Amino acid sequence: MTSIFSPKWYVEQMRGWSFKSYMLLMFGLGAITASTLSHSITGIAIATWFAGVLGFTCTVAITNAKPLNGVLGLVSALIYIFVAINAKNFADVILQTSYIILLDIPVLISPQWAKDAEKHIHGLTAPKWLLTALFFFASWGLLYLMDTHLFISPRPVIDSVASAIGFTGALLCTLRFREQYYFWTVQGVMSIVLWGVTAAQGDASPVLFLTYIMYFMNDMIAFFDSHIHWFHKVESSTNVADDPSQQLN
């Protein structure tokens, strides 16, 4: 883990992405920044900007199988938790906590997550689909009960559904199932609705609404960019395992 304190490691992590990922990253960061500057600059607005920038970069890193997402994801999730508590989207707080546990910490403590990534991607079988569905409905039920009984959320249905989908996607991502992107896509749509409604009700900055649109666009790259190995075989890609600078020590 000592590599995360080296600026060179971050430079190396930004190399080898697909061209479309670079283009989307630049567009997304510009759009998130412009949206932030077009509204009142408050403490919450600045925190939301940091969360959006780091979180979006994290998702693009995941798409390109870079362990950089462990560092950025951890920091952005902590900020998201602060913003979600302020907005009273409590299930989203649990979702961000699950990202830390299921995505960020495993990547930080186990560089094997990104080692030979294309060789370890696999699909869900019928029994595993059933287990995934059971996991989703159990998560949804528990999150809805939390939003309506433990913490009172103004948007319990949208909040709990979006979070349960993301929770399931995070688990599939950690286990490197390609079907995670089905869940990320639907969760992206639900989060666009959630944070759009939240912003319309005056409980949050519109920046997160825009950020989740960027997330959705990143999901489309995972599906349709032939240089991304989650759904495509990449014939000439640099193996992460062969480049020590790409690994966490």
Side-chain angles (χ1 to χ4, degrees):
M1 292 184 61
T2 56
S3 293
I4 66 175
F5 300 105
S6 170
K8 182 180 178 181
W9 182 79
Y10 290 91
V11 174
E12 293 294 338
Q13 290 300 300
M14 298 298 293
R15 293 176 178 172
W17 295 15
S18 76
F19 178 75
K20 291 178 182 177
S21 290
Y22 284 126
M23 293 297 99
L24 179 61
L25 179 66
M26 288 188 289
F27 173 75
L29 297 184
I32 292 169
T33 301
S35 178
T36 299
L37 295 176
S38 66
H39 296 85
S40 299
I41 304 300
T42 63
I44 290 295
I46 294 174
T48 302
W49 177 81
F50 270 112
V53 166
L54 295 177
F56 179 59
T57 305
C58 169
T59 61
V60 182
I62 289 176
T63 297
N64 289 272
K66 297 293 184 178
L68 173 67
N69 76 279
V71 180
L72 299 186
L74 177 61
V75 178
S76 65
L78 292 173
I79 302 174
Y80 269 125
I81 288 172
F82 169 73
V83 174
I85 290 174
N86 184 76
K88 299 181 179 64
N89 287 334
F90 299 110
D92 200 57
V93 174
I94 301 300
L95 174 62
Q96 297 301 325
T97 303
S98 76
Y99 287 167
I100 293 174
I101 297 172
L102 294 174
L103 295 178
D104 306 326
I105 293 178
V107 170
L108 287 174
I109 65 176
S110 176
Q112 298 300 313
W113 184 89
K115 186 176 182 180
D116 294 333
E118 69 278 5
K119 296 180 181 179
H120 298 286
I121 293 171
H122 45 281
L124 291 172
T125 60
K128 289 179 180 178
W129 264 114
L130 178 59
L131 291 174
T132 300
L134 292 174
F135 180 82
F136 163 73
F137 283 111
S139 300
W140 181 16
L142 291 172
L143 290 169
Y144 181 78
L145 288 174
M146 183 196 72
D147 265 357
T148 55
H149 291 78
L150 183 58
F151 303 108
I152 307 303
S153 170
R155 298 159 289 274
V157 175
I158 305 175
D159 187 27
S160 60
V161 171
S163 297
I165 296 172
F167 199 8
T168 307
L171 177 63
L172 294 180
C173 180
T174 301
L175 299 176
R176 285 186 286 200
F177 286 106
R178 63 173 54 90
E179 286 83 1
Q180 63 173 291
Y181 279 95
Y182 300 139
F183 287 87
W184 291 143
T185 301
V186 178
Q187 195 265 346
V189 173
M190 290 300 300
S191 291
I192 290 170
V193 174
L194 172 65
W195 288 101
V197 172
T198 302
Q201 293 177 344
D203 289 331
S205 166
V207 173
L208 282 183
F209 168 71
L210 175 63
T211 300
Y212 276 101
I213 293 178
M214 298 296 105
Y215 286 1
F216 179 81
M217 294 173 67
N218 178 63
D219 296 336
M220 295 302 99
I221 285 182
F223 284 122
F224 300 112
D225 188 345
S226 60
H227 295 90
I228 299 298
H229 54 238
W230 289 104
F231 289 92
H232 307 274
K233 290 185 177 180
V234 182
E235 298 296 335
S236 58
S237 60
T238 302
N239 204 327
V240 176
D242 297 333
D243 186 353
S245 64
Q246 299 274 11
Q247 301 179 35
L248 290 171
N249 297 324

